[in-house]
């Protein structure tokens, strides 16, 4: 089967390189002269189970929403809302599974696991959605870029004990009525009239009726099977660009708009209504996907995450607001603040990265001397924090090398990609830029096999802060070594603790240091080095001037 799939993949790649002859009068006539960013809605029923028998295959339907340069599409959130509306018109199933295009079902029992949870709970509010962790089939050994999120899902398991884990945007079973904006034990929906349903869900009568079935609870009778092919015209209507205008889609209904991380925003809204969520990880893993295998791709992904998460704080779904006016638990709000402030972490991380270098250059200190008893306090905190983090991850079967990669890339990402996500958000609020959804390019395992797991660099400006931090700390270390070599009592000399911190920062950027001496794609481009060198020189000069002024 694996060999057969590989052969099929080669045929698809060859077919994609050739122009596709399409006749206007054939079954593929709707694809004639179609541009990917400007075309009408296309819906084709590939196969359908008209008899509704369990032995036959389920419905297979191709959906491509209408695209027009004149209309905002809201990226993934807009696509998910179109899929929700089309499925509501054509099938109206009470449960929906959301899986990204690079994920596949690895466990054939995954639907059984989800159904057992849904139908086994006593209180409906305890299961607004079921999240399966994201895992990857093309994992890099020891996770050199820190993008496989082993520590993230470890924390998510802990948050699951509060009000429920975060919605991760994929591998998730949703209740349709939850996506439709329903609250737990909501009795208000019984008083919703047809006019209100039209304002919420749009002008489609078919969608209004299917939404009423879901919200009023009559959808529990699944005997009335729909034939998708008889609802194509209605489905095309709800997949149009203009359909959402004047409705609650993206505001109160469906996947919410306003952030590039629509998953966190939508999950936060669900928890804010009082729903809880469930996370479960069966054996074997339910879904497997593809993770970025090159460093520039990982940077792009982290920048989009940091930017989108910060945007959540400036929407109506702010965690603190939902705690005061909604039903979000305070401890759950703290969990959401932890993840939403990833981008804002870049500023204190940047300050702490240059603080030791500043102290060494100016011959000052923020730590006690190494021969003072008080030095044991920061050293004890440093050792306790890192040893405890290592012990936690070792319980998950994570190697020491993976732990170190997660630690260092947490610092590197904060001062590179997350810093730019913070700056881009600031520019957006001043009206100087707009949010751009940057799609993460997932590389095939067979391509660029030599680059997998190795740091490659391009001319991205996100690398500049990292190189600058590295050069500043290298300058401080050279300065400190010269001073210590000329000191008779180096143990009592100032700056030993600060030099140790500079060494830690340099180790975090070790791959950047190697990139300074390599050529080609494995080396940092010269324009980036010159820009970083100029910034580092300015910082050093400002440090020396500040020390002279005091």
């Amino acid at each position: 089967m694996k060999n057969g799939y590989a052969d099929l993949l080669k045929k698809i790649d060859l077919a994609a390189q050739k122009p596709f002859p399409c006749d206007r009068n054939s079954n593929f006539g709707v694809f004639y002269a179609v541009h990917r960013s400007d075309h009408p809605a296309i819906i084709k029923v590939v196969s359908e189970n008209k008899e509704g028998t369990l032995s036959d295959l389920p419905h297979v339907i191709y959906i491509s929403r209408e695209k027009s340069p004149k209309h905002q599409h809201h990226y993934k959130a807009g696509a998910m809302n179109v899929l929700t509306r089309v499925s509501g018109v054509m099938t109206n199933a009470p449960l929906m599974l959301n899986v990204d295009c690079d994920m596949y079902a690895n466990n054939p029992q995954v639907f059984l696991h989800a159904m057992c949870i849904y139908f086994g709970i006593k209180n409906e509010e305890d299961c607004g959605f079921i999240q399966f962790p994201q895992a990857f089939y093309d994992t890099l050994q020891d996770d050199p870029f820190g993008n496989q999120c082993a520590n993230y899902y470890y924390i998510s398991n802990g948050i699951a004990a509060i009000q429920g884990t975060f919605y991760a945007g994929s591998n998730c079973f949703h209740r349709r009525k939850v996506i439709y904006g329903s609250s737990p034990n909501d009795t208000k929906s019984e008083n919703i009239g047809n006019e209100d349903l039209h304002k919420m869900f749009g002008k489609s009568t078919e969608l209004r009726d299917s939404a009423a079935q879901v919200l009023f609870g009559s959808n529990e009778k699944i005997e009335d099977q729909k034939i998708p092919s008889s609802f194509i015209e209605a489905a095309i209507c709800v997949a149009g660009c203009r359909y959402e205008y004047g409705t609650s889609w993206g505001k109160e209904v469906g996947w919410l708009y306003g952030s590039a991380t629509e998953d966190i925003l939508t999950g936060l809204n669900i928890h804010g209504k009082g729903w809880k969520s469930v996370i479960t990880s069966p054996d074997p893993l339910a879904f497997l996907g593809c993770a970025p295998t090159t460093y520039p791709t990982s940077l792009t992904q982290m920048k989009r995450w940091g930017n989108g998460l910060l945007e959540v704080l400036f929407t109506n779904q702010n965690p603190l607001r939902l705690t005061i006016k909604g039903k979000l638990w305070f401890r759950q709000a703290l969990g959401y603040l932890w993840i939403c402030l990833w981008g804002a972490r870049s500023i204190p991380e940047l300050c702490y990265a240059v603080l030791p270098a500043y102290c060494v250059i100016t011959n000052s200190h923020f730590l006690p001397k190494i021969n003072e008893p008080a030095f044991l306090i920061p050293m004890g905190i440093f050792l306790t924090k890192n040893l405890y983090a290592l012990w936690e991850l070792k319980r998950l079967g994570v190697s020491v090398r993976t732990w170190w990669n997660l630690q260092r890339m947490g610092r590197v990402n904060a001062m590179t990609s997350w810093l730019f996500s913070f700056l881009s958000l600031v520019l957006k609020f001043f009206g100087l830029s707009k949010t751009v959804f940057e799609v993460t390019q997932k590389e095939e395992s067979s391509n660029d096999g030599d680059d997998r797991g190795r740091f490659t660099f391009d001319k991205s400006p996100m690398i500049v802060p990292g190189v600058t931090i590295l050069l500043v700390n290298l300058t401080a270390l050279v300065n400190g070594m010269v001073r210590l070599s000329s000191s008779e009592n180096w143990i009592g000399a100032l700056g030993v603790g600060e030099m140790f911190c500079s060494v830690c920062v340099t180790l975090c950027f070790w791959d950047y240091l190697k990139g300074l001496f390599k050529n080609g794609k494995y080396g940092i481009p010269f324009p980036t080095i010159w820009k970083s060198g100029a910034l580092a020189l300015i910082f050093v000069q400002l440090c020396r001037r500040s020390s002279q002024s005091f």
Side-chain angles (χ1 to χ4, degrees):
M1 185 181 295
K2 185 176 181 180
N3 293 335
Y5 177 79
D7 293 338
L8 176 61
L9 187 62
K10 292 179 181 178
K11 293 179 181 179
I12 293 175
D13 291 337
L14 291 175
Q17 299 172 6
K18 301 177 181 178
F20 181 72
C22 185
D23 187 2
R24 288 178 181 267
N25 300 322
S26 67
N27 291 331
F28 299 98
V30 290
F31 297 98
Y32 183 82
V34 166
H35 192 274
R36 63 184 301 175
S37 60
D38 189 5
H39 64 80
I42 302 173
I43 299 177
K44 303 287 285 185
V45 178
V46 179
S47 68
E48 57 185 344
N49 186 351
K50 294 184 178 181
E51 302 298 329
T53 56
L54 297 177
S55 58
D56 293 338
L57 290 174
H59 307 307
V60 179
I61 304 171
Y62 172 86
I63 303 171
S64 179
R65 57 177 170 154
E66 182 184 3
K67 287 289 187 69
S68 173
K70 299 179 182 179
H71 298 276
Q72 172 62 265
H73 303 118
H74 300 290
Y75 313 111
K76 181 180 177 181
M80 294 302 302
N81 285 336
V82 169
L83 290 172
T84 302
R85 293 196 295 269
V86 172
S87 64
V89 168
M90 290 186 135
T91 59
N92 205 33
L95 300 176
M96 299 181 294
L97 170 61
N98 163 216
V99 182
D100 280 352
C101 61
D102 60 340
M103 309 291 294
Y104 70 90
N106 181 61
N107 187 335
Q109 301 289 330
V110 61
F111 289 94
L112 181 61
H113 287 302
M115 296 306 102
C116 287
I117 294 175
Y118 269 123
F119 298 119
I121 58 172
K122 295 181 179 180
N123 297 321
E124 183 185 53
E125 66 179 34
D126 291 337
C127 190
F129 62 86
I130 299 176
Q131 178 68 58
F132 290 86
Q134 291 193 27
F136 309 99
Y137 61 84
D138 61 343
T139 54
L140 300 172
Q141 185 178 4
D142 298 326
D143 193 9
F145 307 133
N147 57 13
Q148 295 170 23
C149 303
N151 51 349
Y152 169 78
Y153 284 107
Y154 180 72
I155 295 175
S156 295
N157 287 330
I159 294 176
I162 307 176
Q163 199 172 353
T165 189
F166 305 136
Y167 168 40
S170 181
N171 310 343
C172 187
F173 284 84
H174 287 281
R175 291 182 186 269
R176 185 177 291 272
K177 73 174 188 178
V178 173
I179 292 297
Y180 280 176
S182 175
S183 299
N185 305 317
D186 191 358
T187 58
K188 296 180 180 179
S189 59
E190 299 177 359
N191 301 321
I192 297 178
N194 289 337
E195 185 177 350
D196 294 328
L197 287 174
H198 272 301
K199 289 181 180 179
M200 291 177 61
F201 298 98
K203 61 183 180 181
S204 171
T205 303
E206 292 82 0
L207 181 60
R208 180 203 65 189
D209 293 341
S210 67
Q213 288 180 350
V214 171
L215 295 175
F216 299 158
S218 59
N219 65 312
E220 294 177 0
K221 297 181 179 180
I222 314 178
E223 295 87 19
D224 299 330
Q225 294 290 338
K226 287 189 174 184
I227 305 301
S229 57
S230 60
F231 292 93
I232 290 183
E233 292 300 324
I236 290 177
C237 173
V238 299
C241 292
R242 301 174 182 84
Y243 184 83
E244 292 184 349
Y245 294 164
T247 69
S248 298
W249 286 99
K251 303 171 186 175
E252 301 175 9
V253 176
W255 274 254
L256 302 192
Y257 304 149
S259 170
T261 54
E262 75 297 320
D263 46 2
I264 293 295
L265 185 61
T266 303
L268 181 55
N269 178 57
I270 293 173
H271 284 138
K273 291 180 180 297
W275 293 100
K276 297 179 183 179
S277 57
V278 176
I279 186 171
T280 179
S281 183
D283 185 19
L285 293 171
F287 298 95
L288 293 179
C290 180
T293 56
T294 62
Y295 183 55
T297 306
S298 180
L299 273 179
T300 302
Q301 184 183 64
M302 289 293 177
K303 177 178 178 293
R304 189 184 79 240
W305 286 353
N307 191 6
L309 291 170
L310 278 174
E311 288 175 333
V312 172
L313 298 177
F314 298 92
T315 66
N316 291 331
Q317 309 304 319
N318 182 287
L320 295 180
R321 180 180 180 276
L322 290 180
T323 301
I324 298 173
K325 295 186 176 182
K327 297 182 180 179
L328 188 70
W329 297 6
F330 178 69
R331 288 188 298 160
Q332 187 78 7
L334 294 180
Y336 272 107
L337 287 174
W338 164 76
I339 189 173
C340 289
L341 289 172
W342 277 4
R345 273 180 49 190
S346 58
I347 303 303
E349 290 267 5
L350 191 65
C351 294
Y352 278 114
V354 298
L355 178 60
Y358 170 83
C359 292
V360 174
I361 293 172
T362 59
N363 199 18
S364 57
H365 68 96
F366 70 96
L367 292 172
K369 296 180 181 181
I370 193 174
N371 59 346
E372 293 179 350
F375 184 78
L376 296 176
I377 297 176
M379 181 59 67
I381 294 174
F382 175 82
L383 292 175
T384 302
K385 185 264 180 187
N386 285 281
L387 289 177
Y388 181 73
L390 176 60
W391 173 75
E392 282 187 312
L393 289 179
K394 287 294 290 182
R395 292 171 58 194
L396 301 178
V398 173
S399 65
V400 176
R401 184 67 179 270
T402 303
W403 164 80
W404 166 242
N405 288 335
L406 289 172
Q407 295 294 312
R408 69 185 182 91
M409 291 308 299
R411 311 284 78 74
V412 172
N413 289 330
M415 289 178 271
T416 53
S417 54
W418 291 354
L419 175 62
F420 270 75
S421 67
F422 177 80
L423 295 177
S424 65
L425 186 68
V426 172
L427 293 176
K428 176 185 175 182
F429 277 108
F430 282 102
L432 301 176
S433 69
K434 295 182 179 180
T435 300
V436 178
F437 191 90
E438 299 173 278
V439 179
T440 304
Q441 299 295 329
K442 303 294 180 66
E443 301 82 4
E444 290 289 344
S445 300
S446 58
N447 297 337
D448 300 327
D450 294 338
D451 296 340
R452 286 173 52 83
R454 299 183 62 182
F455 273 76
T456 58
F457 300 93
D458 54 16
K459 295 182 180 179
S460 171
M462 287 187 284
I463 301 176
V464 173
V467 180
T468 304
I469 295 295
L470 174 63
L471 294 176
V472 166
N473 280 276
L474 287 176
T475 303
L477 288 175
V478 172
N479 195 327
M481 292 299 294
V482 172
R483 187 179 300 127
L484 287 176
S485 63
S486 59
S487 175
E488 296 181 358
N489 184 18
W490 67 270
I491 296 180
L494 293 175
V496 175
E498 287 75 12
M499 285 186 63
F500 174 79
C501 293
S502 284
V503 170
C504 291
V505 175
T506 303
L507 290 177
C508 289
F509 286 92
W510 185 255
D511 289 284
Y512 277 62
L513 180 60
K514 292 191 293 185
L516 294 175
F517 302 99
K518 292 185 178 181
N519 298 320
K521 59 185 176 181
Y522 301 111
I524 298 176
F526 281 107
T528 301
I529 296 177
W530 287 115
K531 294 175 186 177
S532 304
L535 292 174
L537 181 61
I538 292 173
F539 178 82
V540 171
Q541 291 300 322
L542 290 176
C543 291
R544 290 176 176 173
R545 287 190 179 184
S546 66
S547 62
Q548 293 174 0
S549 62
F550 288 106

